[in-house]
Amino acid sequence: MRIAIASDHAAFALKAVLAGWLRGQGHDVLDLGPDSDARVDYPDFGFALARAVADGRAERGVALCGSGIGISIAVNRHPALRCALVDNPYAATLARQHNNANAIALGARLVGEDMATACLAAFLSSDFEGGRHAARIDKLGQPPFPTSVKDPA
């Protein structure tokens, strides 16, 4: 599988670890940077990762920053991306099974290398279940805040 990976400066070291692990598992890695731990802006790298997955240069994406929050927001700005911020393997599994996530985000300051690797392994080994989840995922592809949807209250 071809996996795109990108980070900001705070997650540069974790990106190197995960990219190496992915290559060791036989995956093709599209490293979108950065090339050092010099200060960068996470939206630039989140947008690059989203484009790579959306245009088919990668099948899945791994987005990393200090907390994982900022870069996950950046990735999710692209309508074709469903990036789940995870911090444990079960959440990574559910992101695929129930939400058909095509990218995950991890916070380098919040999870260690072993946990990040376990999350990535779970994410890559899980498949979308479809079924009752498919209609919900289809709604995510609609324009933001569709006016045809009534408030549940």
Side-chain angles (χ1 to χ4, degrees), residues 116-151:
T117 303
C119 289
L120 184 51
F123 176 71
L124 295 176
S125 64
S126 301
D127 294 317
F128 181 49
E129 290 180 349
R132 72 182 196 276
H133 307 292
R136 297 169 186 151
I137 300 309
D138 290 344
K139 286 183 179 184
L140 294 175
Q142 296 177 3
F145 305 106
T147 57
S148 63
V149 178
K150 294 182 182 179
D151 288 333

Coordinates of all heavy atoms in Angstrom, one line a residue, residues 116-151:
A116 N 2.0 4.9 18.9 CA 1.7 5.4 17.6 C 1.9 4.3 16.6 O 1.0 4.2 15.6 CB 2.7 6.6 17.3
T117 N 2.8 3.5 16.7 CA 3.0 2.3 15.8 C 1.8 1.4 15.9 O 1.3 0.9 14.9 CB 4.3 1.6 16.1 OG1 5.4 2.6 16.0 CG2 4.6 0.5 15.1
A118 N 1.4 1.1 17.1 CA 0.2 0.2 17.3 C -1.0 0.8 16.7 O -1.8 0.1 16.1 CB 0.0 0.0 18.8
C119 N -1.2 2.1 16.8 CA -2.4 2.8 16.2 C -2.3 2.6 14.7 O -3.3 2.3 14.0 CB -2.4 4.2 16.6 SG -2.9 4.6 18.3
L120 N -1.1 2.9 14.1 CA -1.0 2.8 12.7 C -1.2 1.4 12.2 O -1.8 1.2 11.2 CB 0.4 3.3 12.3 CG 0.8 3.4 10.8 CD1 -0.3 4.2 10.0 CD2 2.1 4.1 10.6
A121 N -0.7 0.4 12.9 CA -0.9 -1.0 12.5 C -2.4 -1.4 12.5 O -2.8 -2.0 11.6 CB -0.1 -1.9 13.5
A122 N -3.1 -0.9 13.5 CA -4.5 -1.2 13.6 C -5.3 -0.5 12.5 O -6.1 -1.1 11.9 CB -5.1 -0.7 15.0
F123 N -4.9 0.7 12.2 CA -5.5 1.5 11.1 C -5.4 0.8 9.8 O -6.3 0.7 9.0 CB -4.9 2.9 11.1 CG -5.4 3.8 10.0 CD1 -6.7 4.3 10.0 CD2 -4.6 4.1 9.0 CE1 -7.2 5.1 9.0 CE2 -5.0 5.0 7.9 CZ -6.3 5.5 7.9
L124 N -4.1 0.4 9.5 CA -3.9 -0.2 8.2 C -4.4 -1.7 8.0 O -4.6 -2.1 6.9 CB -2.3 -0.2 8.0 CG -1.7 1.1 7.8 CD1 -0.2 1.0 7.7 CD2 -2.3 1.9 6.7
S125 N -4.7 -2.3 9.1 CA -5.1 -3.7 9.0 C -6.7 -3.8 9.1 O -7.2 -4.9 9.1 CB -4.5 -4.6 10.1 OG -4.9 -4.1 11.4
S126 N -7.3 -2.7 9.3 CA -8.8 -2.7 9.4 C -9.5 -2.3 8.1 O -8.9 -1.5 7.3 CB -9.2 -1.8 10.5 OG -8.7 -2.2 11.7
D127 N -10.7 -2.8 7.9 CA -11.4 -2.5 6.7 C -12.8 -1.8 7.1 O -13.3 -2.1 8.2 CB -11.7 -3.7 5.9 CG -10.5 -4.3 5.3 OD1 -9.6 -3.6 4.8 OD2 -10.3 -5.6 5.3
F128 N -13.3 -1.0 6.2 CA -14.6 -0.4 6.3 C -15.7 -1.5 6.3 O -15.7 -2.4 5.5 CB -14.9 0.6 5.2 CG -16.2 1.3 5.3 CD1 -16.6 1.9 6.5 CD2 -17.0 1.4 4.2 CE1 -17.8 2.6 6.6 CE2 -18.2 2.1 4.3 CZ -18.6 2.7 5.5
E129 N -16.6 -1.5 7.3 CA -17.6 -2.5 7.4 C -18.8 -2.2 6.5 O -19.6 -3.1 6.2 CB -18.1 -2.6 8.9 CG -17.1 -3.2 9.8 CD -17.6 -3.2 11.3 OE1 -18.7 -2.6 11.6 OE2 -17.0 -3.9 12.1
G130 N -19.0 -1.0 6.1 CA -20.1 -0.7 5.2 C -21.4 -0.8 6.0 O -21.5 -0.4 7.1
G131 N -22.4 -1.5 5.4 CA -23.7 -1.7 6.1 C -24.3 -0.4 6.6 O -24.4 0.6 5.9
R132 N -24.7 -0.4 7.9 CA -25.4 0.7 8.4 C -24.5 2.0 8.5 O -25.0 3.1 8.5 CB -25.8 0.4 9.9 CG -24.7 0.3 10.9 CD -25.3 -0.1 12.3 NE -24.4 0.2 13.4 CZ -23.5 -0.7 13.8 NH1 -23.3 -1.8 13.1 NH2 -22.7 -0.3 14.8
H133 N -23.2 1.8 8.3 CA -22.3 3.0 8.3 C -22.2 3.7 7.0 O -21.8 4.8 6.9 CB -20.9 2.5 8.8 CG -20.9 1.8 10.1 ND1 -21.1 2.3 11.3 CD2 -20.6 0.5 10.3 CE1 -21.1 1.4 12.2 NE2 -20.7 0.3 11.7
A134 N -22.5 3.0 5.9 CA -22.3 3.5 4.6 C -23.1 4.8 4.3 O -22.6 5.7 3.8 CB -22.6 2.4 3.5
A135 N -24.4 4.8 4.7 CA -25.2 5.9 4.5 C -24.7 7.2 5.2 O -24.8 8.3 4.8 CB -26.7 5.6 4.9
R136 N -24.2 6.9 6.4 CA -23.6 8.0 7.2 C -22.4 8.6 6.5 O -22.2 9.8 6.5 CB -23.3 7.6 8.6 CG -24.5 7.1 9.4 CD -24.1 6.4 10.7 NE -25.3 5.9 11.3 CZ -25.3 4.8 12.1 NH1 -24.2 4.1 12.3 NH2 -26.4 4.4 12.6
I137 N -21.6 7.7 6.0 CA -20.3 8.2 5.3 C -20.7 8.9 4.0 O -20.1 9.9 3.7 CB -19.4 7.0 5.0 CG1 -19.0 6.3 6.3 CG2 -18.2 7.4 4.2 CD1 -18.4 7.2 7.3
D138 N -21.8 8.5 3.3 CA -22.3 9.2 2.1 C -22.7 10.6 2.5 O -22.4 11.5 1.7 CB -23.4 8.4 1.5 CG -23.0 7.1 0.8 OD1 -21.8 6.9 0.6 OD2 -23.9 6.3 0.6
K139 N -23.3 10.8 3.6 CA -23.7 12.2 4.1 C -22.5 13.1 4.2 O -22.6 14.3 4.0 CB -24.5 12.1 5.4 CG -25.9 11.6 5.2 CD -26.6 11.7 6.5 CE -28.0 11.2 6.3 NZ -28.8 11.3 7.6
L140 N -21.3 12.5 4.6 CA -20.1 13.3 4.8 C -19.6 13.9 3.5 O -18.9 14.9 3.5 CB -19.0 12.5 5.5 CG -19.3 12.1 6.9 CD1 -18.2 11.2 7.4 CD2 -19.5 13.3 7.8
G141 N -20.0 13.3 2.4 CA -19.6 13.7 1.1 C -20.5 14.9 0.5 O -20.2 15.4 -0.5
Q142 N -21.5 15.2 1.2 CA -22.4 16.3 0.8 C -21.8 17.6 1.1 O -20.9 17.7 1.9 CB -23.8 16.1 1.5 CG -24.5 14.9 1.1 CD -25.8 14.8 1.9 OE1 -26.2 15.7 2.7 NE2 -26.6 13.7 1.7
P143 N -22.3 18.7 0.5 CA -21.8 20.0 0.9 C -21.9 20.2 2.4 O -22.8 19.7 3.0 CB -22.7 20.9 0.1 CG -23.3 20.1 -1.0 CD -23.3 18.7 -0.5
P144 N -21.1 21.1 2.9 CA -21.1 21.3 4.4 C -22.5 21.9 4.8 O -23.1 22.7 4.1 CB -20.1 22.4 4.6 CG -19.2 22.3 3.4 CD -20.0 21.8 2.3
F145 N -23.0 21.4 5.9 CA -24.2 21.8 6.5 C -25.4 21.8 5.5 O -25.9 22.9 5.2 CB -24.1 23.2 7.1 CG -22.9 23.3 8.1 CD1 -21.8 23.9 7.8 CD2 -23.1 22.7 9.4 CE1 -20.7 23.9 8.8 CE2 -22.1 22.7 10.3 CZ -20.9 23.3 10.0
P146 N -25.7 20.7 5.0 CA -26.8 20.6 4.0 C -28.1 21.2 4.6 O -28.4 20.9 5.8 CB -26.9 19.1 3.7 CG -26.2 18.4 4.7 CD -25.2 19.4 5.4
T147 N -28.8 22.0 3.9 CA -30.0 22.6 4.4 C -31.2 21.6 4.4 O -32.2 21.9 5.0 CB -30.4 23.8 3.5 OG1 -30.5 23.4 2.1 CG2 -29.3 24.9 3.6
S148 N -31.0 20.5 3.7 CA -32.1 19.5 3.7 C -32.2 18.7 4.9 O -33.2 18.0 5.1 CB -32.0 18.6 2.5 OG -30.8 17.9 2.6
V149 N -31.2 18.8 5.8 CA -31.2 18.0 7.0 C -31.8 18.8 8.1 O -31.5 20.0 8.4 CB -29.8 17.6 7.4 CG1 -29.7 16.9 8.7 CG2 -29.1 16.8 6.3
K150 N -32.9 18.2 8.8 CA -33.5 18.9 9.9 C -32.7 18.7 11.2 O -32.1 17.7 11.4 CB -34.9 18.3 10.1 CG -35.8 18.6 8.9 CD -37.2 18.0 9.2 CE -38.1 18.3 8.0 NZ -39.4 17.8 8.2
D151 N -32.8 19.7 12.1 CA -32.1 19.5 13.4 C -32.8 18.4 14.1 O -34.0 18.3 14.1 CB -32.3 20.9 14.2 CG -31.4 21.9 13.6 OD1 -30.4 21.6 13.0 OD2 -31.7 23.1 13.8

